[in-house]
Amino acid sequence: MRNAYTYISLLLALVTSPIFAQNEPRTAVDFNHSWKFFPGDEPTAKAPDFADADWRTLNLPHDWSIEGQFSEQHLSTTQEGALPTGIGWYRKAFLIPVSSKTKRVFIEFDGVYRNSEVWINGHRLGIRPYGYSSFRYELTKHLKFGSEKNSIAVRVDNAAQPNSRWYTGSGIYRNVRLVTTSKMAVAQWGTFVTTPTVTSQKAQVLAQISIQNPLGRVKDGRRSDGKPETVDVISTVLDAAGNKVATQTSSSVQLTDTLTTIAQQFDLQNPILWSIEKPYLYKIITRIYSQNRLEDTYETPFGIRYFKFDSATGFSLNGQPMKILGVCLHHDLGALGAAVNRRAMQRQLELLKAMGCNAIRTAHNPPAPEFLDLCDEMGFLVMDEAFDMWKKKKSKQDYGLNWDAWHKTDLEDMVRRDRNHPSIFMWSIGNEIREQFDSTGITITKELADIVKKLDSTRPVTSALTENIPEKNFIYRSGALDILGFNYKHEAYGDFPKTFPNQSVIASETGSSLQTRGHYDMPSDSVRMWGKGGPAKFRDGNPDWTASAYDNEAAYWGSTHEQTWKVIRKYPHMAGLFIWTGFDYLGEPHPYPWPARSSYFGILDLAGFPKDVYYLYQSEWTDKPVLHLFPHWNWPKGETVDVWAYYSQADEVELFLNDKSLGIRRKNGDDLHVMWRVSYEPGTLRIVSRKGGKSVLTRTVSTAGKPAKIQLIADRNTLKADGKDLSFVTVNVLDEQGNLVPDANHLITFGLKGSGTLAGVDNGYQASLEPFKANYRKAYNGKCLAIIQTTDNTGTISLKATAEGLQSAVVELISK
Ligand code: GAL
């Protein structure tokens, strides 16, 4: 509820805003604008007076790798995406107001890949090897105030290759902020909110608040003038509508150390619980006063929920049994590379939500903080993962080299940064760690679990394991894991209650099945496992580096989608699964070598177009009626074509070719799809699903004629003029009748006018070597994608797509 006081302060804020802003106890400003960038090493650039006028000007987040050209020369292994890496420098000049002289000023980086080194006005602040950690430096004592310019320089070194098993991106690829606080303020990630007891009538909320006091100012709880340093801490809990629901005051708290932690407890009546369906968020506003002067205001969003793993019955959230229906995601955003963009992540999550997915595993590293905010807001559970390797490396130049010096800091920082997110329900200390195979696994697992538990004992610790013979798995034998995560091994799930008695298990990674969108090989009813016992290598694959989109190809260590889902569905003791992966990602183009350069594992392709299996999950994971028919209907006459359908909320489906019935099919037993083997003739396939004799849904696929025109479909037509917002425009190549031409591969050229830029183009083809930053793209299997980004200027944006022999198309957007 807004009261008179709020209105007066709002009015005051409006009238006095510049001065008011300076007097704010804490400001956190976007520090992404107008950096200078140099692609290469320039050691003298750390000097404050270095002349960078001819360097490129850009806004962060920035990933220089994604701007490059694919080349075999960039391949240190096939796994990292074949884009350039190397060293880069960033510089920025900025002013700090005189009013900040009495404050503390920090620069916060959400993530820099990798080995970043930072200088302020020529003073070196530090180095941070791990490219996925968030960190900050205090600038205060090196700053110049008023009209004198400050200079910050960042060297990013991603030269030593290979250092990853997937595409990492290079540069300051996540957001940067400048944070100004009073001397006395809540520490970095300085609050920890837990909910020790939750019922539908009442929730107990506990906030631990760490307050920092400048070094040297406090000795034995006394200031330099000998008086005890005390503060009043007032915290208010607000519901999602902004109503105050509880307040606590801690008066005359003595700050006896440079960091003092206090606890405040709140009792909330009739709390609204956070859930997948209703991701309800509260927040706590904490204010710190010293002698009645406001020193800090700090906001902590949180959610109220409880969950339980049960070794026999699986997982429940707020007392409701549910399966974890998850996917693993790497951090790249397709054509945008690793450069963080909130809308791009939100679109990925929207597509997954519509499929019925309810959980994400952040493979295999801490994600961008905005990703977790989105999961909190949209209702996804998150398995937050720290590492892909420990001390024993997986790639020659990887983080294993930094392990001894950094793992404690990196793991602590992940837990501190992320532990207020209601979406996070598990901490994963590693993926397929090599130490699981020897006794060092015991010590390290115990050490890591202990680091996590000291900072958060409310969530279980897991690790994604591969060795499922208990005696041979030293991570398991450490006894320090709360939940066992197993990658693959779906045939063993049934035995787990015997092999791992009284242990909760989740399938931390499944599938690794392979598809290229819109590509179909006949016949479809035999399974190809790539590697052991299957086609030995790529030479047995397709000459155009494609994998069939029927769900019948997989890496030999994995399974088809159906194989694993059937077992997970069957066993209540399996808490759920994380499919490898939600989206195709750059790098790891298993089983193909160059020129394949991105993965085949996604349920959606790199451009975000669903592959057919998307609808398999939608039919199993949502309540909405689903009917999906494939493949396309353009084949040589007389060819034998397998026609598949996924359906739900129906008893049967019937297929017609040119109005002639090809028969009724029903899923029997644990079937997940139905199939007809059809001798091809051109025309129209029509499928009808029926329940109780009444038709539920109808779908048709018709033989496409000659390619005639372009169709543009923007996922959003009204955008924000904030220089960040995106519209994803799907480009379809259609025939005269409006059918998608399933093999169209026209070169589409884009012309953009108005207040936007073309942020990237893609077509989802794993072996396309066209650049992502371009104003053209070939269609692949009838489709491609253009991503439009707004500028800071309002106005219209118009995208025109042209191609030889096709009628062009225009789409108009508004940016405001
Ligand atoms: C797993 C690994 C993943 C990815 C996947 C590909 O073993 O954990 O990172 O490499 O294989 O199938």
Side-chain angles (χ1 to χ4, degrees), residues 728-740:
F728 288 83
V729 183
T730 299
V731 182
N732 291 321
V733 178
L734 307 179
D735 71 1
E736 208 51 74
Q737 274 67 48
N739 299 301
L740 185 83

Side-chain angles (χ1 to χ4, degrees), residues 324-617:
I324 290 150
L325 307 172
V327 300
C328 302
L329 287 184
H330 273 314
H331 69 305
D332 77 66
L333 297 166
L336 305 176
V340 158
N341 179 288
R342 192 182 148 95
R343 171 59 200 156
M345 296 189 289
Q346 186 187 43
R347 170 189 181 241
Q348 287 198 331
L349 291 171
E350 282 170 1
L351 288 162
L352 292 170
K353 189 98 189 170
M355 183 179 94
C357 168
N358 63 24
I360 309 288
R361 172 182 178 217
T362 67
H364 304 297
N365 47 261
E370 296 82 5
F371 184 81
L372 297 171
D373 293 342
L374 284 163
C375 289
D376 290 347
E377 289 160 22
M378 296 171 73
F380 284 90
L381 291 165
V382 175
M383 170 170 160
D384 200 356
E385 189 154 85
F387 306 115
D388 189 45
M389 78 296 287
W390 294 348
K391 196 177 163 94
K392 293 202 162 117
K393 56 186 172 224
K394 290 183 175 172
S395 317
K396 248 194 193 140
Q397 302 288 346
D398 72 20
Y399 181 75
L401 298 170
N402 307 110
W403 181 259
D404 284 341
W406 282 97
H407 70 274
K408 183 161 186 282
T409 306
D410 286 320
L411 184 58
E412 283 179 347
D413 284 357
M414 174 181 101
V415 177
R416 269 209 201 94
R417 188 196 72 171
D418 293 349
R419 62 189 170 169
N420 291 321
H421 288 281
S423 54
I424 296 177
F425 76 123
M426 277 202 284
W427 301 111
S428 166
I429 53 175
N431 173 57
E432 300 192 350
I433 294 299
R434 288 176 56 205
E435 283 86 344
Q436 71 188 300
F437 305 111
D438 69 72
S439 60
T440 60
I442 296 190
T443 0
I444 305 184
T445 309
K446 282 187 178 159
E447 188 211 341
L448 301 183
D450 194 51
I451 291 173
V452 174
K453 287 289 157 88
K454 278 202 176 118
L455 292 168
D456 177 19
S457 58
T458 71
R459 295 173 176 92
V461 173
T462 191
S463 185
L465 309 171
T466 48
E467 178 53 73
N468 62 332
I469 300 173
E471 318 72 79
K472 290 193 184 168
N473 191 321
F474 292 84
I475 293 185
Y476 166 68
R477 281 175 54 182
S478 74
L481 295 186
D482 303 302
I483 308 291
L484 301 183
F486 275 103
N487 288 4
Y488 308 99
K489 306 278 173 23
H490 65 285
E491 292 101 340
Y493 296 167
D495 297 329
F496 280 176
K498 275 195 233 127
T499 348
F500 301 100
N502 304 316
Q503 261 290 343
S504 290
V505 185
I506 189 161
S508 38
E509 194 172 311
T510 68
S512 275
S513 99
L514 309 162
Q515 287 92 29
T516 297
R517 171 191 51 83
H519 178 86
Y520 306 93
D521 292 329
M522 305 299 158
S524 65
D525 53 353
S526 57
V527 173
R528 267 180 164 189
M529 299 302 283
W530 287 93
K532 248 188 213 165
K537 265 261 162 215
F538 55 88
R539 59 181 169 273
D540 303 308
N542 294 333
D544 60 351
W545 324 105
T546 47
S548 186
Y550 292 111
D551 177 21
N552 65 339
E553 294 194 32
Y556 77 83
W557 52 87
S559 75
T560 66
H561 287 278
E562 293 197 1
Q563 283 166 343
T564 293
W565 173 239
K566 282 180 185 176
V567 202
I568 294 283
R569 188 172 70 165
K570 180 166 154 195
Y571 292 120
H573 65 261
M574 293 301 293
L577 82 173
F578 289 100
I579 296 159
W580 191 265
T581 48
F583 288 77
D584 282 348
Y585 51 93
L586 284 159
E588 212 181 19
H590 180 84
Y592 289 120
W594 173 264
R597 45 60 173 170
S598 57
S599 82
Y600 293 74
F601 302 120
I603 297 169
L604 298 103
D605 73 13
L606 197 70
F609 299 134
K611 302 178 188 174
D612 298 293
V613 286
Y614 179 91
Y615 302 96
L616 159 70
Y617 290 112

